[in-house]
């Protein structure tokens, strides 16, 4: 088994950690579950509800994450909108988000080749942006790069909060385990997951764990959040998916001698 005995920190939230933990176990690794994210609906759903009621007015609905797709489609279903209206096209940031959209009845017409907000904006430019109307359901803490790019190229975009990041309860057992024996790899799938790690572990303990482990970030945006705190990203996949992240971890660990020495 390629990851035999390797302990991998999983910071994804409830309802999301299972898939990643399963991938780790399939490769022989040991997932250390310590959720640092709890996704919840926006405090005020009126703007989101208003956008859904006017869905047929948009040319495109844009999804920069599978979570945005889940929360938007759940709210739309609650309001009696189970399918995208005729003529409205859907764009996705990557294959994982596209699979979620397909499952939810909002199949993607366009999937970005590079799985970032910038990549999605690039893909849209190939379809024509000027004069088009876009709806962007996103996280409260989401970046504004897609909206800025659309406006810069002559499109009109309505950005609406579909969900927000909350702080879950601290897993005391996992926290004690990590302080005593840091995981071989700490994985982060979003900037919020990384920042919340410090809130839940405490600044000193989080820094000590990360300095004795290896840091894996799913993509450039998360890597920038890691760099802002002056830590180094050791592992980042070419494809910004969970499978891509696992492949990159496997390749990196396989390149290291298993001599029983320190983690780094």
């Amino acid at each position: 088994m390629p990851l035999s005995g390797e302990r991998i920190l999983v910071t994804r939230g409830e309802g999301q950690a299972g898939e990643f933990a399963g991938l780790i176990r399939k490769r022989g690794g040991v997932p250390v579950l310590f959720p640092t994210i709890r996704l919840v609906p926006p405090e005020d759903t009126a703007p989101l509800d208003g956008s859904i009621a006017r869905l047929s007015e948009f040319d495109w609905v844009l999804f920069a994450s599978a979570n945005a797709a889940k929360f938007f489609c759940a709210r739309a279903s609650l309001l009696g909108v189970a399918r995208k209206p005729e003529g409205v096209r859907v764009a996705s940031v990557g294959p994982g988000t596209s699979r979620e959209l397909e499952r939810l009845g909002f199949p993607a017409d366009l999937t970005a080749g590079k799985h970032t907000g910038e990549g999605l904006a690039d893909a849209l430019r190939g379809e024509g942006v000027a004069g088009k109307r876009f709806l962007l359901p996103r996280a409260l803490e989401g970046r504004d790069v897609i909206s800025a790019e659309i406006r810069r190229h002559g499109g009109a975009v309505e950005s609406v909060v579909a969900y927000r990041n909350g702080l879950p309860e601290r897993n005391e057992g996992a926290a004690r385990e990590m302080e005593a024996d840091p995981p071989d790899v700490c994985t982060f799938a979003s900037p919020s997951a990384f920042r919340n790690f410090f809130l839940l572990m405490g600044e000193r303990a989080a820094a000590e764990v990360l300095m004795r482990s290896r840091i894996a970030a799913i993509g450039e945006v998360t890597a920038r959040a890691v760099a802002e705190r002056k830590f180094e990203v050791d592992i980042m996949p070419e494809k910004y998916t969970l499978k891509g992240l696992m492949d990159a971890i496997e390749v990196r660990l396989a390149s290291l001698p298993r001599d029983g020495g320190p983690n780094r």
Side-chain angles (χ1 to χ4, degrees), residues 34-148:
F34 188 74
T36 61
I37 289 289
R38 183 172 69 93
L39 302 181
V40 294
E43 290 184 356
D44 180 7
T45 58
L48 177 60
D49 292 353
S51 296
I52 292 171
R54 295 181 286 102
L55 198 56
S56 61
E57 297 178 6
F58 296 96
D59 295 295
W60 286 90
V61 186
L62 313 177
F63 294 98
S65 73
N67 292 324
K70 289 175 185 174
F71 277 88
F72 177 86
C73 291
R75 192 68 190 174
S77 178
L78 192 66
L79 298 176
V81 180
R83 294 286 186 273
K84 61 181 180 181
E86 189 74 23
V88 176
R89 303 179 73 190
V90 171
S92 157
V93 74
T97 302
S98 293
R99 283 195 298 273
E100 194 64 27
L101 286 164
E102 181 74 28
R103 186 182 72 81
L104 295 167
F106 276 71
D109 301 284
L110 175 69
T111 301
K114 186 177 181 181
H115 312 318
T116 62
E118 289 85 350
L120 181 53
D122 287 344
L124 288 168
R125 280 204 299 277
E127 301 290 324
V129 170
K132 301 286 181 61
R133 295 159 300 177
F134 298 83
L135 175 63
L136 175 64
R138 62 173 179 81
L140 175 63
E141 303 82 1
R143 296 189 306 149
D144 202 33
V145 60
I146 299 174
S147 298

